[in-house]
PDB file of all heavy atoms in Angstrom:
ATOM      1  N   GLY A1042      -7.763  17.976  19.244  1.00  0.00           N
ATOM      2  CA  GLY A1042      -9.182  17.505  19.362  1.00  0.00           C
ATOM      3  C   GLY A1042      -9.400  16.265  18.659  1.00  0.00           C
ATOM      4  O   GLY A1042     -10.383  15.934  18.004  1.00  0.00           O
ATOM      5  N   SER A1045     -12.187  12.352  19.359  1.00  0.00           N
ATOM      6  CA  SER A1045     -13.581  12.012  18.827  1.00  0.00           C
ATOM      7  C   SER A1045     -13.711  12.620  17.470  1.00  0.00           C
ATOM      8  O   SER A1045     -12.880  13.419  16.992  1.00  0.00           O
ATOM      9  CB  SER A1045     -14.523  12.697  19.757  1.00  0.00           C
ATOM     10  OG  SER A1045     -14.493  14.025  19.688  1.00  0.00           O
ATOM     11  N   GLY A1046     -14.697  12.149  16.752  1.00  0.00           N
ATOM     12  CA  GLY A1046     -15.273  12.898  15.538  1.00  0.00           C
ATOM     13  C   GLY A1046     -14.195  12.971  14.351  1.00  0.00           C
ATOM     14  O   GLY A1046     -13.461  12.047  14.139  1.00  0.00           O
ATOM     15  N   ILE A1047     -14.148  14.126  13.931  1.00  0.00           N
ATOM     16  CA  ILE A1047     -13.253  14.361  12.648  1.00  0.00           C
ATOM     17  C   ILE A1047     -11.849  14.270  13.026  1.00  0.00           C
ATOM     18  O   ILE A1047     -11.044  13.654  12.257  1.00  0.00           O
ATOM     19  CB  ILE A1047     -13.590  15.825  12.165  1.00  0.00           C
ATOM     20  CG1 ILE A1047     -15.086  15.803  11.452  1.00  0.00           C
ATOM     21  CG2 ILE A1047     -12.514  16.320  11.224  1.00  0.00           C
ATOM     22  CD1 ILE A1047     -15.482  17.240  10.997  1.00  0.00           C
ATOM     23  N   ALA A1092      -4.081  18.758  26.193  1.00  0.00           N
ATOM     24  CA  ALA A1092      -3.901  20.261  26.309  1.00  0.00           C
ATOM     25  C   ALA A1092      -5.227  20.874  25.972  1.00  0.00           C
ATOM     26  O   ALA A1092      -5.944  20.390  25.091  1.00  0.00           O
ATOM     27  CB  ALA A1092      -2.844  20.657  25.267  1.00  0.00           C
ATOM     28  N   ASP A1093      -5.445  22.045  26.681  1.00  0.00           N
ATOM     29  CA  ASP A1093      -6.491  22.872  26.241  1.00  0.00           C
ATOM     30  C   ASP A1093      -5.818  23.768  25.164  1.00  0.00           C
ATOM     31  O   ASP A1093      -4.999  24.598  25.547  1.00  0.00           O
ATOM     32  CB  ASP A1093      -6.942  23.643  27.428  1.00  0.00           C
ATOM     33  CG  ASP A1093      -8.028  24.740  27.127  1.00  0.00           C
ATOM     34  OD1 ASP A1093      -8.289  25.046  25.954  1.00  0.00           O
ATOM     35  OD2 ASP A1093      -8.512  25.388  28.138  1.00  0.00           O
ATOM     36  N   VAL A1094      -6.355  23.752  23.932  1.00  0.00           N
ATOM     37  CA  VAL A1094      -5.660  24.640  22.866  1.00  0.00           C
ATOM     38  C   VAL A1094      -5.839  26.082  23.028  1.00  0.00           C
ATOM     39  O   VAL A1094      -5.272  26.861  22.411  1.00  0.00           O
ATOM     40  CB  VAL A1094      -6.200  24.184  21.502  1.00  0.00           C
ATOM     41  CG1 VAL A1094      -5.893  22.741  21.155  1.00  0.00           C
ATOM     42  CG2 VAL A1094      -7.704  24.430  21.330  1.00  0.00           C
ATOM     43  N   ASN A1120      -7.670  21.238  14.641  1.00  0.00           N
ATOM     44  CA  ASN A1120      -9.014  20.676  14.459  1.00  0.00           C
ATOM     45  C   ASN A1120     -10.006  20.995  15.641  1.00  0.00           C
ATOM     46  O   ASN A1120     -11.203  21.108  15.452  1.00  0.00           O
ATOM     47  CB  ASN A1120      -8.992  19.186  14.344  1.00  0.00           C
ATOM     48  CG  ASN A1120     -10.272  18.529  14.449  1.00  0.00           C
ATOM     49  OD1 ASN A1120     -11.105  18.560  13.490  1.00  0.00           O
ATOM     50  ND2 ASN A1120     -10.498  17.907  15.561  1.00  0.00           N
ATOM     51  N   SER A1121      -9.468  21.224  16.878  1.00  0.00           N
ATOM     52  CA  SER A1121     -10.337  21.338  18.052  1.00  0.00           C
ATOM     53  C   SER A1121     -11.409  22.451  17.929  1.00  0.00           C
ATOM     54  O   SER A1121     -11.054  23.503  17.243  1.00  0.00           O
ATOM     55  CB  SER A1121      -9.540  21.783  19.301  1.00  0.00           C
ATOM     56  OG  SER A1121      -8.655  20.768  19.592  1.00  0.00           O
ATOM     57  N   GLY A1122     -12.613  22.156  18.247  1.00  0.00           N
ATOM     58  CA  GLY A1122     -13.611  23.081  18.058  1.00  0.00           C
ATOM     59  C   GLY A1122     -14.846  22.754  18.960  1.00  0.00           C
ATOM     60  O   GLY A1122     -15.050  21.607  19.300  1.00  0.00           O
ATOM     61  N   SER A1178     -11.769  24.241   9.364  1.00  0.00           N
ATOM     62  CA  SER A1178     -12.732  25.400   9.328  1.00  0.00           C
ATOM     63  C   SER A1178     -14.217  24.758   9.265  1.00  0.00           C
ATOM     64  O   SER A1178     -14.513  23.799   9.977  1.00  0.00           O
ATOM     65  CB  SER A1178     -12.499  26.311   8.170  1.00  0.00           C
ATOM     66  OG  SER A1178     -13.322  27.425   8.140  1.00  0.00           O
ATOM     67  N   TYR A1192     -20.010  30.863  16.641  1.00  0.00           N
ATOM     68  CA  TYR A1192     -19.388  29.765  15.814  1.00  0.00           C
ATOM     69  C   TYR A1192     -19.110  30.309  14.478  1.00  0.00           C
ATOM     70  O   TYR A1192     -17.908  30.135  13.891  1.00  0.00           O
ATOM     71  CB  TYR A1192     -20.313  28.559  15.822  1.00  0.00           C
ATOM     72  CG  TYR A1192     -19.729  27.397  15.118  1.00  0.00           C
ATOM     73  CD1 TYR A1192     -18.908  26.444  15.763  1.00  0.00           C
ATOM     74  CD2 TYR A1192     -20.028  27.109  13.758  1.00  0.00           C
ATOM     75  CE1 TYR A1192     -18.428  25.406  15.158  1.00  0.00           C
ATOM     76  CE2 TYR A1192     -19.550  25.891  13.109  1.00  0.00           C
ATOM     77  CZ  TYR A1192     -18.603  25.095  13.827  1.00  0.00           C
ATOM     78  OH  TYR A1192     -18.119  24.000  13.309  1.00  0.00           O
ATOM     79  N   LYS A1196     -15.335  30.713  12.656  1.00  0.00           N
ATOM     80  CA  LYS A1196     -14.955  30.113  11.339  1.00  0.00           C
ATOM     81  C   LYS A1196     -14.619  31.085  10.283  1.00  0.00           C
ATOM     82  O   LYS A1196     -13.725  30.954   9.481  1.00  0.00           O
ATOM     83  CB  LYS A1196     -15.981  29.162  10.907  1.00  0.00           C
ATOM     84  CG  LYS A1196     -16.263  27.942  11.873  1.00  0.00           C
ATOM     85  CD  LYS A1196     -14.954  27.076  12.094  1.00  0.00           C
ATOM     86  CE  LYS A1196     -15.244  25.901  13.029  1.00  0.00           C
ATOM     87  NZ  LYS A1196     -14.098  24.966  13.177  1.00  0.00           N
ATOM     88  N   PRO A1222     -15.513  21.443   6.356  1.00  0.00           N
ATOM     89  CA  PRO A1222     -16.449  20.254   6.252  1.00  0.00           C
ATOM     90  C   PRO A1222     -17.922  20.905   6.197  1.00  0.00           C
ATOM     91  O   PRO A1222     -18.214  21.937   6.714  1.00  0.00           O
ATOM     92  CB  PRO A1222     -16.302  19.548   7.576  1.00  0.00           C
ATOM     93  CG  PRO A1222     -14.948  20.002   8.152  1.00  0.00           C
ATOM     94  CD  PRO A1222     -14.836  21.431   7.607  1.00  0.00           C
ATOM     95  N   GLY A1223     -18.766  20.145   5.494  1.00  0.00           N
ATOM     96  CA  GLY A1223     -20.238  20.391   5.607  1.00  0.00           C
ATOM     97  C   GLY A1223     -20.789  19.679   6.858  1.00  0.00           C
ATOM     98  O   GLY A1223     -20.319  19.749   7.833  1.00  0.00           O
ATOM     99  N   ILE A1225     -20.833  16.524   8.922  1.00  0.00           N
ATOM    100  CA  ILE A1225     -20.178  15.227   9.080  1.00  0.00           C
ATOM    101  C   ILE A1225     -20.762  14.527  10.284  1.00  0.00           C
ATOM    102  O   ILE A1225     -20.995  15.244  11.279  1.00  0.00           O
ATOM    103  CB  ILE A1225     -18.759  15.602   9.197  1.00  0.00           C
ATOM    104  CG1 ILE A1225     -18.066  16.400   8.064  1.00  0.00           C
ATOM    105  CG2 ILE A1225     -17.929  14.150   9.228  1.00  0.00           C
ATOM    106  CD1 ILE A1225     -18.211  15.946   6.633  1.00  0.00           C
ATOM    107  N   THR A1227     -20.838  13.328  13.442  1.00  0.00           N
ATOM    108  CA  THR A1227     -19.916  13.337  14.691  1.00  0.00           C
ATOM    109  C   THR A1227     -20.774  13.767  15.882  1.00  0.00           C
ATOM    110  O   THR A1227     -21.932  14.315  15.693  1.00  0.00           O
ATOM    111  CB  THR A1227     -18.736  14.354  14.483  1.00  0.00           C
ATOM    112  OG1 THR A1227     -19.187  15.715  14.690  1.00  0.00           O
ATOM    113  CG2 THR A1227     -17.954  14.242  13.230  1.00  0.00           C
ATOM    114  N   ILE A1229     -20.606  16.507  17.500  1.00  0.00           N
ATOM    115  CA  ILE A1229     -20.962  18.018  17.690  1.00  0.00           C
ATOM    116  C   ILE A1229     -22.327  18.250  17.076  1.00  0.00           C
ATOM    117  O   ILE A1229     -22.944  19.280  17.430  1.00  0.00           O
ATOM    118  CB  ILE A1229     -19.790  18.798  16.869  1.00  0.00           C
ATOM    119  CG1 ILE A1229     -19.625  20.168  17.533  1.00  0.00           C
ATOM    120  CG2 ILE A1229     -20.019  18.911  15.483  1.00  0.00           C
ATOM    121  CD1 ILE A1229     -18.366  20.976  16.993  1.00  0.00           C
ATOM    122  N   ASN A1230     -22.790  17.441  16.175  1.00  0.00           N
ATOM    123  CA  ASN A1230     -24.016  17.841  15.329  1.00  0.00           C
ATOM    124  C   ASN A1230     -24.946  16.665  15.470  1.00  0.00           C
ATOM    125  O   ASN A1230     -25.883  16.441  14.575  1.00  0.00           O
ATOM    126  CB  ASN A1230     -23.848  18.295  13.974  1.00  0.00           C
ATOM    127  CG  ASN A1230     -23.085  17.067  13.253  1.00  0.00           C
ATOM    128  OD1 ASN A1230     -22.785  16.105  13.822  1.00  0.00           O
ATOM    129  ND2 ASN A1230     -22.794  17.233  12.004  1.00  0.00           N
TER     130      ASN A1230
HETATM  131  P1  NAD B 530     -16.308  16.771  18.162  1.00  0.00           P
HETATM  132  O1  NAD B 530     -17.053  17.321  19.258  1.00  0.00           O
HETATM  133  O2  NAD B 530     -16.347  15.279  18.101  1.00  0.00           O
HETATM  134  O3  NAD B 530     -14.731  17.150  18.186  1.00  0.00           O
HETATM  135  C1  NAD B 530     -14.232  18.339  18.712  1.00  0.00           C
HETATM  136  C2  NAD B 530     -13.077  18.034  19.461  1.00  0.00           C
HETATM  137  O4  NAD B 530     -12.412  19.211  19.974  1.00  0.00           O
HETATM  138  C3  NAD B 530     -13.334  17.089  20.723  1.00  0.00           C
HETATM  139  O5  NAD B 530     -12.479  16.049  20.674  1.00  0.00           O
HETATM  140  C4  NAD B 530     -13.049  18.160  21.903  1.00  0.00           C
HETATM  141  O6  NAD B 530     -12.593  17.405  22.967  1.00  0.00           O
HETATM  142  C5  NAD B 530     -12.017  19.008  21.171  1.00  0.00           C
HETATM  143  N1  NAD B 530     -11.946  20.239  21.966  1.00  0.00           N
HETATM  144  C6  NAD B 530     -12.865  21.038  22.429  1.00  0.00           C
HETATM  145  N2  NAD B 530     -12.295  22.043  23.158  1.00  0.00           N
HETATM  146  C7  NAD B 530     -11.128  21.930  23.226  1.00  0.00           C
HETATM  147  C8  NAD B 530      -9.997  22.578  23.790  1.00  0.00           C
HETATM  148  N3  NAD B 530     -10.208  23.709  24.467  1.00  0.00           N
HETATM  149  N4  NAD B 530      -8.728  22.011  23.644  1.00  0.00           N
HETATM  150  C9  NAD B 530      -8.487  20.972  22.943  1.00  0.00           C
HETATM  151  N5  NAD B 530      -9.469  20.251  22.367  1.00  0.00           N
HETATM  152  C10 NAD B 530     -10.761  20.764  22.454  1.00  0.00           C
HETATM  153  O7  NAD B 530     -16.762  17.519  16.809  1.00  0.00           O
HETATM  154  P2  NAD B 530     -16.254  17.303  15.305  1.00  0.00           P
HETATM  155  O8  NAD B 530     -17.342  17.434  14.427  1.00  0.00           O
HETATM  156  O9  NAD B 530     -15.391  16.218  15.182  1.00  0.00           O
HETATM  157  O10 NAD B 530     -15.509  18.805  15.249  1.00  0.00           O
HETATM  158  C11 NAD B 530     -14.128  18.885  14.852  1.00  0.00           C
HETATM  159  C12 NAD B 530     -13.890  20.138  14.105  1.00  0.00           C
HETATM  160  O11 NAD B 530     -14.560  20.087  12.946  1.00  0.00           O
HETATM  161  C13 NAD B 530     -14.360  21.350  14.805  1.00  0.00           C
HETATM  162  O12 NAD B 530     -13.463  22.411  14.696  1.00  0.00           O
HETATM  163  C14 NAD B 530     -15.615  21.706  14.092  1.00  0.00           C
HETATM  164  O13 NAD B 530     -16.044  23.070  14.252  1.00  0.00           O
HETATM  165  C15 NAD B 530     -15.361  21.197  12.704  1.00  0.00           C
HETATM  166  N6  NAD B 530     -16.506  20.951  11.915  1.00  0.00           N
HETATM  167  C16 NAD B 530     -17.384  19.834  12.138  1.00  0.00           C
HETATM  168  C17 NAD B 530     -18.380  19.719  11.296  1.00  0.00           C
HETATM  169  C18 NAD B 530     -19.438  18.532  11.497  1.00  0.00           C
HETATM  170  O14 NAD B 530     -20.395  18.481  10.742  1.00  0.00           O
HETATM  171  N7  NAD B 530     -19.148  17.691  12.402  1.00  0.00           N
HETATM  172  C19 NAD B 530     -18.751  20.618  10.161  1.00  0.00           C
HETATM  173  C20 NAD B 530     -17.834  21.718  10.094  1.00  0.00           C
HETATM  174  C21 NAD B 530     -16.774  21.806  10.836  1.00  0.00           C
END
Side-chain angles (χ1 to χ4, degrees):
S1045 66
I1047 289 173
D1093 175 349
V1094 296
N1120 166 77
S1121 292
S1178 184
Y1192 184 83
K1196 296 300 183 179
I1225 310 298
T1227 75
I1229 210 174
N1230 58 359

